[in-house]
Amino acid sequence: MLRNRAFCLARSLILLGLLILGTSPVRAQETEPLPWYERTSISLLAFGDYYAVLEHHDESIEGNHGFWLRRINLTFDQKISDRLSARLRFEAANPGDFASGSNLEPFVKDAWVRWRRSEQVDLTVGIAPTPSYDSVEAYWGYRSVEKTPLDLHRWLATRDFGVLLAGRMAADSRIRYKAMVGNGSGTGTETNSGKHGALLVGFAPSDSSVIELFGDFEDRPAESDRTTFQAFFGLRRPGYRLGAQLGRQNRETAAGDDSFFLASAFAIWEAREKLNAILRVDRLFDPSPEGDRIPYLPFDPAASESTLLIAGLDFALHKNLGIIPNVEWVMYDGNAGDDVIPRITFYYSF
């Protein structure tokens, strides 16, 4: 009942946003627009590792080591007018399954148009980030090291094809919202009649902190619906930033519902100029349901509980180039074998 209400609320907010936007048509530009190439910016992000699997529950990959380029993002952003903007992002990634020998395979990661009616309301249509993504990723800030917890364990997709309404309750309000209705197929093609609905409400107690509550419902084929809840707190101060996250997901199955719960906390400390210390701890209180499908860091799906420790140092060689010696250590409860993967991560952007 609760998930249906959340889905209906998200849908109602978007319909309300469409109505508001529809009552305020875009004004014609008063000046001659700039050429398209002067209104378009291009950016790139690439990162990878030299890794070594010192210990692993899967003996077939224990001892593996080598280089891999994990991800490349090429992004085109354009300001169409004062109120309209667009983004096209291509991403290429390795499977990260320690078995495939395929080349990097590109696909469309973002393809959206955004209409900003005011500081309080904007509407995005296309393949766009889901509401669960932005704040957690921004405070963590180290996608080059690891995904955020719900993304890592394949609970939620970071993208969906749909309609996203976002804004603030008032111009000076510290309360903001995001509501989305989409296919529920991520960046892939729609394959069923079910849809995906999500709603996020955030409150900023100060300019340096945020508290967010998020709910997500996926109407999936047969008896396989999923409901996800997330709570996040972030704090950013000169010299450091902190984050804490709780997540819970319910998955319907033919045999009955399965529930999963996790908690995560991280700290980023600016030890000195161009040197950051990174520490994160994720606690899984249930098995990782798709653990063996996690790229680059497969979990043991049979383990009842586990703890992931991530620690590293970020050496910024340049504002756009750096290396991050780090280690990912998965400790399984009641299991003598851990997963220990030290890496030297490199990243480049412009």
Side-chain angles (χ1 to χ4, degrees):
M1 180 65 71
L2 182 60
R3 67 192 180 195
N4 290 332
R5 290 179 179 175
F7 182 82
C8 291
L9 179 58
R11 183 174 59 186
S12 299
L13 279 172
I14 289 179
L15 292 174
L16 177 61
L18 289 170
L19 179 62
I20 294 172
L21 290 168
T23 62
S24 179
V26 178
R27 299 173 184 173
Q29 286 191 321
E30 297 178 359
T31 59
E32 189 71 20
L34 294 172
W36 69 268
Y37 51 85
E38 294 186 22
R39 294 179 283 111
T40 303
S41 62
I42 302 174
S43 59
L44 179 140
L45 171 65
F47 54 84
D49 315 290
Y50 178 80
Y51 71 94
V53 184
L54 298 187
E55 296 183 38
H56 206 272
H57 69 274
D58 184 351
E59 295 182 356
S60 67
I61 66 174
E62 187 170 307
N64 283 15
H65 65 96
F67 292 96
W68 52 28
L69 191 58
R70 285 191 281 132
R71 190 147 303 192
I72 301 175
N73 287 335
L74 180 62
T75 305
F76 299 85
D77 287 303
Q78 185 175 84
K79 182 179 180 181
I80 302 172
S81 69
D82 291 341
R83 293 188 178 182
L84 287 170
S85 60
R87 167 172 288 183
L88 176 63
R89 171 175 289 170
F90 297 98
E91 180 169 293
N94 273 308
D97 57 5
F98 296 92
S100 302
S102 59
N103 296 324
L104 290 166
E105 297 184 2
F107 64 95
V108 175
K109 183 68 174 283
D110 289 308
W112 50 256
V113 175
R114 178 170 295 157
W115 183 6
R116 172 157 290 188
R117 179 184 182 275
S118 66
E119 292 296 325
Q120 291 80 54
V121 181
D122 62 54
L123 184 73
T124 303
V125 180
I127 303 175
T130 57
S132 66
Y133 176 75
D134 288 345
S135 291
V136 183
E137 182 79 9
Y139 274 86
W140 166 232
Y142 278 102
R143 175 63 188 86
S144 56
V145 174
E146 192 50 84
K147 298 177 179 179
T148 53
L150 271 63
D151 184 18
L152 174 66
H153 290 284
R154 305 174 62 87
W155 286 17
L156 292 173
T158 62
R159 299 295 193 278
D160 199 10
F161 198 136
V163 181
L164 172 68
L165 178 70
R168 298 180 181 274
M169 295 302 182
D172 58 350
S173 176
R174 291 187 176 274
I175 300 176
R176 66 187 186 95
Y177 65 88
K178 290 185 178 183
M180 186 176 199
V181 173
N183 286 337
S185 302
T187 58
T189 304
E190 175 64 289
T191 58
N192 59 72
S193 60
K195 291 295 176 281
H196 159 244
L199 175 65
L200 178 145
V201 177
F203 172 65
S206 67
D207 293 338
S208 59
S209 61
V210 66
I211 299 171
E212 291 184 345
L213 297 176
F214 167 81
D216 181 281
F217 172 66
E218 290 184 71
D219 182 10
R220 297 166 62 93
E223 298 179 9
S224 61
D225 294 349
R226 295 182 183 180
T227 307
T228 308
F229 298 98
Q230 173 184 278
F232 174 72
F233 169 75
L235 176 66
R236 191 190 303 270
R237 293 286 174 81
Y240 70 91
R241 62 182 185 269
L242 306 172
Q245 182 179 8
L246 298 174
R248 183 175 181 85
Q249 184 173 78
N250 183 78
R251 299 189 178 193
E252 290 185 354
T253 69
D257 293 359
D258 291 329
S259 294
F260 306 93
F261 181 69
L262 64 79
S264 176
F266 63 81
I268 311 299
W269 175 44
E270 298 176 10
R272 64 185 189 192
E273 187 179 4
K274 297 185 179 180
L275 175 63
N276 287 358
I278 305 164
L279 181 64
R280 177 174 132 188
V281 179
D282 295 354
R283 177 64 176 171
L284 271 177
F285 296 92
D286 301 283
S288 180
E290 300 178 54
D292 54 348
R293 297 178 58 198
I294 296 176
Y296 311 106
L297 186 65
F299 275 59
D300 183 355
S304 58
E305 298 181 24
S306 61
T307 300
L308 167 62
L309 172 67
I310 302 173
L313 293 172
D314 175 13
F315 295 91
L317 306 178
H318 181 269
K319 65 177 182 179
N320 297 332
L321 175 67
I323 58 172
I324 310 174
N326 64 93
V327 62
E328 292 191 305
W329 184 357
V330 183
M331 294 161 275
Y332 299 105
D333 290 16
N335 189 330
D338 294 343
D339 298 342
V340 182
I341 306 179
R343 304 177 303 177
I344 299 177
T345 299
F346 52 87
Y347 62 90
Y348 172 69
S349 65
F350 67 74

